[in-house]
Amino acid sequence: MSVDPSPRLSGETSPRGAGSQQRGAKRPLPRGSWTSAVEVRRSTRRSRTVSAYREGDRTIVLIPARMSEAEEQRWVGVMLDKLAAQESKRVLGDVELTERAERLSTQYFDGRARPASVRWVTNQNTRWGSCTPAEGSIRLSHRLQGMPEYVVDYVLVHELAHLLVPGHGPRFWRLLEAYPRTERARGYLEGVVAADRLPQLPAARGE
């Protein structure tokens, strides 16, 4: 099998659970909240390590055969977040950020949200992103740099939605429901806020 030379990440656990399965057993997971197909491969050769890597448009997660279903789900999430964080360490320039916002607008808002400019700023210490609908400008806090792509995308989608609906009323939240990883991204940012006392989350539903 030809495998792309993608980075591999490893973590450690103390596997517990039902008996082992055949080495290399494959069990595809539903797409769920992840952006690419995920395939879990259990191996009797593994006793502690968990690894993950990209293979084409799939993410392969390698786990010990004896790992329980609950541990599997937890470690899949952990490794996907680690891969995403590693991949997002390359900082997008403002031009690339604008192109990314345009793609997200096409994907989730049928291209109706059209930003005139999207750029990183270093003077936003109390928010992750901001939008000026009259100017069509979106600004993202530099503190997002290095976070998983789905988190950056969530903030972009949030601000893009403001180009269509300025406030945080019901119509705004209906728009944001189009992005499938909203709750996961908000949970990630909540963890960052709690750990580092960084900028507060964008306004929550009902605020």
Side-chain angles (χ1 to χ4, degrees):
M1 178 185 296
S2 176
V3 179
D4 293 338
S6 304
R8 300 193 180 206
L9 303 169
S10 295
E12 298 226 344
T13 184
S14 297
R16 293 196 277 291
S20 62
Q21 299 179 17
Q22 292 295 319
R23 176 179 175 274
K26 302 178 182 179
R27 185 163 62 81
L29 293 182
R31 287 179 179 269
S33 61
W34 298 307
T35 56
S36 61
V38 178
E39 183 179 290
V40 174
R41 297 179 184 175
R42 291 175 173 261
S43 172
T44 56
R45 286 188 174 185
R46 289 178 174 268
S47 61
R48 294 182 62 83
T49 61
V50 178
S51 300
Y53 62 94
R54 306 295 191 195
E55 186 177 272
D57 62 352
R58 297 179 300 165
T59 300
I60 309 300
V61 181
L62 307 174
I63 65 173
R66 296 178 61 244
M67 186 173 283
S68 70
E69 294 292 325
E71 287 175 321
E72 172 186 318
Q73 291 296 322
R74 180 171 68 86
W75 274 101
V76 166
V78 167
M79 300 309 289
L80 286 172
D81 280 347
K82 285 187 176 182
L83 277 177
Q86 187 177 72
E87 291 167 349
S88 66
K89 284 182 179 178
R90 184 180 70 84
V91 177
L92 298 176
D94 289 348
V95 173
E96 294 171 302
L97 199 61
T98 299
E99 293 173 348
R100 191 181 192 89
E102 290 172 349
R103 288 196 298 271
L104 291 169
S105 175
T106 299
Q107 183 174 359
Y108 297 111
F109 303 133
D110 297 322
R112 291 180 294 121
R114 300 176 181 177
S117 66
V118 184
R119 59 191 177 91
W120 297 107
V121 295
T122 58
N123 61 351
Q124 290 194 155
N125 296 317
T126 60
R127 61 180 68 185
W128 295 111
S130 63
C131 172
T132 304
E135 300 175 358
S137 62
I138 291 175
R139 296 164 298 281
L140 264 59
S141 172
H142 73 289
R143 296 175 185 272
L144 288 164
Q145 294 172 351
M147 291 189 186
E149 290 183 359
Y150 73 89
V151 176
V152 177
D153 284 353
Y154 162 70
V155 178
L156 279 173
V157 170
H158 186 106
E159 302 308 331
L160 285 167
H162 279 310
L163 293 178
L164 303 175
V165 180
H168 289 103
R171 184 171 167 237
F172 172 84
W173 291 109
R174 283 196 296 272
L175 283 175
L176 210 59
E177 287 173 357
Y179 184 63
R181 307 190 76 180
T182 290
E183 293 306 316
R184 186 174 178 84
R186 289 183 62 82
Y188 183 98
L189 291 174
E190 284 173 351
V192 173
V193 169
D196 299 324
R197 297 184 179 179
L198 290 179
Q200 296 300 308
L201 286 165
R205 187 186 299 270
E207 293 182 359

